[in-house]
């Protein structure tokens, strides 16, 4: 079936009226779709098979979650290519609003989740998660999905969205989908497109380092400093933004990885900020 592209809330309401009483899987994205997004769509289809409901995609580069104008300006976009990929992935409706549609003039309501944004990406990107929560709230209100799907590569984002969903008694379910990787281990990200060839090769230090952390954990290491010992050298020539060991539930730094623990990092290669993580000791 051909994908339906809707650009306004009014059009979306019209589409929804035609599908009333059906289930819905929502995959929120900022576009420039890659295999990781397609995996979210496949997971959406598994949760909501065609006979029971529809698969929806949103494509919206959300200005409220960028605290650096240059990062927003250089964020890769390819709407035409995205729609082709979405259609072949079986998406029924793509919501592709302009900024004014989601943030009408004088929009002044924001959603913030306390506590979980103190460390990791939240520590150095003030307002980032407030922007994410605000746009995800708007999308959840508009779609009221049976399931909303988010990647585990953005573990902090997923944890914050889960908390918001629970705290605000949202309907439906938040589903976390495991990180997709290239055959050489690099986590899929829209940002990878901005890496030079040597930069991409150097960025393989990230999955190698996370593998080392896993090996240390498997060998019995629980001390946080020892788990990430030598990070600077291992991730060189990348410029480390953070390498942190936090408990996987509250995302607070820990000294010992005795309960489910997340080792998460953000490292710049070619001035492109890449994030990745590994979960030790199972899900929280
Ligand atoms: O993960 C993303 O792509 C974005 O943060 C999201 C969840 C679509 C909100 O803009």
């Amino acid at each position: 079936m051909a994908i339906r592209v809707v650009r306004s809330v009014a059009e979306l309401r019209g589409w929804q009226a035609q599908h009333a009483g059906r289930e819905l899987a929502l995959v929120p994205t900022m576009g420039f779709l890659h295999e990781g997004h397609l995996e979210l769509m496949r997971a959406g289809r598994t949760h909501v098979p065609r006979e029971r409901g529809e698969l929806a995609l949103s494509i919206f580069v959300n200005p409220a979650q960028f605290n650096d104008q240059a990062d927003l300006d250089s964020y890769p976009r390819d709407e035409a290519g995205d729609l082709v990929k979405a259609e072949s992935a079986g998406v029924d409706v793509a919501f592709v609003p302009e900024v004014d549609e989601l943030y009408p003039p004088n929009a002044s309501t924001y959603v913030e989740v306390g506590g979980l944004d103190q460390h990791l990406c939240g520590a150095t990107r003030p307002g980032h998660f407030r922007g994410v929560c605000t746009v995800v709230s708007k999308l959840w209100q508009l779609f009221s999905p049976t399931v909303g799907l988010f990647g585990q590569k953005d573990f902090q984002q997923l944890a914050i969205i889960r908390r918001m969903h629970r705290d605000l008694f949202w309907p439906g379910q938040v589903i976390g989908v495991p990180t997709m990787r290239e055959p050489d281990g690099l986590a899929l990200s829209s940002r990878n497109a901005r890496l030079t060839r040597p930069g991409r090769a150097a960025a393989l230090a990230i999955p190698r380092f996370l593998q080392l952390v896993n090996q240390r954990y498997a060998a019995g290491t629980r001390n946080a400093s020892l788990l990430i010992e030598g990070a600077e050298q291992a991730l060189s020539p990348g410029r480390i933004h953070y390498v942190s060991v936090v408990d996987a539930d509250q995302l607070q730094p820990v000294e010992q990885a005795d309960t489910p623990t997340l080792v998460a990092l953000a490292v710049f290669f070619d001035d492109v900020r890449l994030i990745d993580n590994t979960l030790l000791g199972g899900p929280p």
Side-chain angles (χ1 to χ4, degrees):
M1 255 237 298
I3 191 169
R4 170 86 189 274
V5 181
V6 300
R7 296 186 187 275
S8 69
V9 170
E11 268 181 286
L12 181 63
R13 301 258 191 246
W15 179 85
Q16 282 168 323
Q18 291 162 8
H19 298 85
R22 306 256 301 156
E23 295 185 9
L24 185 87
L26 172 65
V27 178
T29 77
M30 297 207 296
F32 211 73
L33 302 181
H34 52 66
E35 198 47 44
H37 295 113
L38 299 182
E39 184 67 8
L40 297 181
M41 294 173 212
R42 284 192 282 271
R45 199 32 108 193
T46 307
H47 282 272
V48 178
R50 189 166 283 289
E51 58 278 13
R52 291 212 312 261
E54 276 63 51
L55 176 59
L57 171 78
S58 64
I59 300 176
F60 180 67
V61 182
N62 174 32
Q65 70 188 77
F66 286 82
N67 34 19
D68 175 357
Q69 186 64 35
D71 198 20
L72 172 61
D73 293 342
S74 65
Y75 199 84
R77 297 164 204 243
D78 176 19
E79 186 188 308
D82 286 348
L83 293 176
V84 170
K85 288 178 193 159
E87 183 163 71
S88 58
V91 169
D92 298 293
V93 64
F95 180 46
V96 192
E98 291 293 335
V99 173
D100 281 2
E101 192 65 23
L102 280 191
Y103 294 94
N106 300 328
S108 51
T109 305
Y110 292 87
V111 183
E112 201 159 3
V113 172
L116 292 174
D117 63 352
Q118 281 168 7
H119 300 285
L120 312 178
C121 294
T124 49
R125 301 183 75 190
H128 168 69
F129 287 113
R130 180 184 192 243
V132 170
C133 288
T134 300
V135 80
V136 172
S137 297
K138 287 173 189 266
L139 294 169
W140 210 277
Q141 288 295 322
L142 286 171
F143 282 92
S144 195
T146 317
V147 290
L149 298 106
F150 301 87
Q152 285 175 4
K153 182 169 75 68
D154 294 296
F155 192 95
Q156 188 173 24
Q157 168 174 286
L158 175 61
I160 288 175
I161 290 171
R162 281 193 199 286
R163 183 68 58 86
M164 172 169 65
H165 176 269
R166 191 206 65 178
D167 288 356
L168 297 180
F169 305 103
W170 282 356
Q173 238 188 312
V174 174
I175 307 283
V177 177
T179 305
M180 284 275 293
R181 296 182 181 279
E182 301 277 8
D184 59 14
L186 190 66
L188 295 186
S189 163
S190 305
R191 291 169 188 257
N192 293 354
R194 285 161 46 196
L195 292 169
T196 61
R197 234 167 139 74
R200 194 198 171 289
L204 290 179
I206 294 178
R208 273 200 298 269
F209 177 67
L210 292 177
Q211 200 182 1
L212 176 66
V213 170
N214 274 296
Q215 284 162 356
R216 288 171 173 167
Y217 184 81
T221 305
R222 294 292 180 270
N223 178 281
S225 311
L226 294 180
L227 279 167
I228 58 169
E229 188 175 41
E232 292 257 337
Q233 206 181 348
L235 294 165
S236 165
R239 186 161 51 84
I240 294 180
H241 197 184
Y242 67 79
V243 178
S244 303
V245 185
V246 297
D247 78 276
D249 186 39
Q250 296 299 319
L251 306 187
Q252 301 297 315
V254 289
E255 286 176 10
Q256 285 288 122
D258 292 330
T259 54
T261 298
L262 182 79
V263 176
L265 51 78
V267 186
F268 289 91
F269 286 90
D270 287 341
D271 280 337
V272 180
R273 188 174 175 280
L274 301 177
I275 59 169
D276 204 344
N277 65 70
T278 187
L279 197 51
L280 306 174

